[in-house]
Amino acid sequence: DTGVSQNPRHKITKRGQNVTFRCDPISEHNRLYWYRQTLGQGPEFLTYFQNEAQLEKSRLLSDRFSAERPKGSFSTLEIQRTEQGDSAMYLCASSLVSGLANEKLFFGSGTQLSVL
Amino acid sequence: GESVGLHLPTLSVQEGDNSIINCAYSNSASDYFIWYKQESGKGPQFIIDIRSNMDKRQGQRVTVLLNKTVKHLSLQIAATQPGDSAVYFCAEPTFSGYSTLTFGKGTMLLVSP
């Protein structure tokens, strides 16, 4: 499978615990995005990387959230001291940006987080 | 603020019918729009896109229409199949640099055999 891969698919945790999700983008894609999606809503942008550089962060990304893409390939998203309001689907997407062409985002299947 | 939204939360059709999913946008400066399909348990999947210098674009069984005058776009699916059942989102770049996408709320399409 050469698509975007996310692990784990599901995560159940207790309030106050830390969780970490992993995303493996499509190889050779230089951009990687994290989105969050709650039931009945469209995905909301959290942050994105171009190669290893984190270029933009949403106001939705509180201090408890941190994302990394150390080698410009896979990325991790960590949530510290989880709260019930963090329960959502966390989606990763990647794209190949070249020139002026509109980029197309390819999404993974997401990690469903439930905070009890 | 700038937003992308949908008129109908749920659309139920019979197999073989044509489906039309609508989307309104508020930013008159938006010049690029994308439709995504999201099946249950999966991430959004790119369907078709359109630039603002076009009024219509066709793909395989899908057509996107853009009406810039009323800031409205629609996704038409011909001969709808049960496999088309999903949530459909319209999206637009949040900023002129196209670095992020703003998604609408979504429309659930239910196709009955």
Side-chain angles (χ1 to χ4, degrees):
Chain A
D1 186 355
T2 57
V4 177
S5 176
Q6 291 189 246
N7 288 288
R9 289 296 310 275
H10 304 274
K11 179 68 177 180
I12 300 174
T13 191
K14 292 183 179 180
R15 188 176 51 188
Q17 298 294 307
N18 300 342
V19 294
T20 300
F21 310 139
R22 177 179 170 124
C23 172
D24 288 273
I26 294 172
S27 59
E28 298 171 359
H29 275 192
N30 51 5
R31 282 196 179 173
L32 186 148
Y33 296 79
W34 286 100
Y35 279 78
R36 180 172 67 188
Q37 185 177 27
T38 53
L39 193 63
Q41 302 294 321
E44 295 175 302
F45 169 75
L46 293 178
T47 188
Y48 90 95
F49 294 82
Q50 176 136 336
N51 300 313
E52 66 275 9
Q54 188 172 16
L55 296 187
E56 194 170 339
K57 291 191 287 188
S58 164
R59 288 171 294 178
L60 294 175
L61 209 66
S62 76
D63 292 343
R64 298 183 296 104
F65 287 67
S66 62
E68 295 182 343
R69 194 185 184 198
K71 299 182 179 179
S73 57
F74 75 92
S75 175
T76 58
L77 176 68
E78 181 183 18
I79 309 174
Q80 296 182 325
R81 305 180 303 280
T82 52
E83 301 172 357
Q84 288 183 327
D86 297 331
S87 296
M89 173 76 81
Y90 289 84
L91 292 163
C92 177
S94 70
S95 69
L96 178 63
V97 176
S98 59
L100 298 176
N102 295 113
E103 63 178 305
K104 291 182 175 61
L105 270 60
F106 294 85
F107 283 85
S109 293
T111 293
Q112 181 66 53
L113 173 66
S114 298
V115 182
L116 305 178
Chain B
E2 299 167 0
S3 65
V4 176
L6 295 174
H7 293 303
L8 299 173
T10 304
L11 177 64
S12 296
V13 300
Q14 293 289 116
E15 182 177 3
D17 288 350
N18 296 332
S19 302
I20 300 175
I21 299 171
N22 298 302
C23 178
Y25 62 95
S26 57
N27 182 10
S28 58
S30 295
D31 61 359
Y32 178 61
F33 303 91
I34 314 106
W35 280 99
Y36 279 89
K37 171 187 179 183
Q38 187 172 25
E39 297 175 271
S40 180
K42 297 184 179 180
Q45 177 186 8
F46 174 91
I47 301 174
I48 192 168
D49 58 0
I50 188 169
R51 292 194 62 89
S52 61
N53 60 354
M54 303 171 68
D55 296 325
K56 179 180 180 180
R57 191 170 187 207
Q58 287 185 297
Q60 187 177 9
R61 283 201 306 117
V62 295
T63 301
V64 56
L65 299 177
L66 176 61
N67 185 331
K68 295 179 288 294
T69 302
V70 295
K71 291 184 285 188
H72 179 271
L73 69 158
S74 65
L75 177 71
Q76 300 180 358
I77 305 174
T80 314
Q81 303 169 359
D84 295 326
S85 294
V87 178
Y88 290 80
F89 295 96
C90 60
E92 62 175 341
T94 306
F95 303 108
S96 60
Y98 302 97
S99 58
T100 68
L101 291 177
T102 296
F103 285 79
K105 189 173 182 178
T107 292
M108 168 80 77
L109 176 64
L110 299 174
V111 183
S112 304

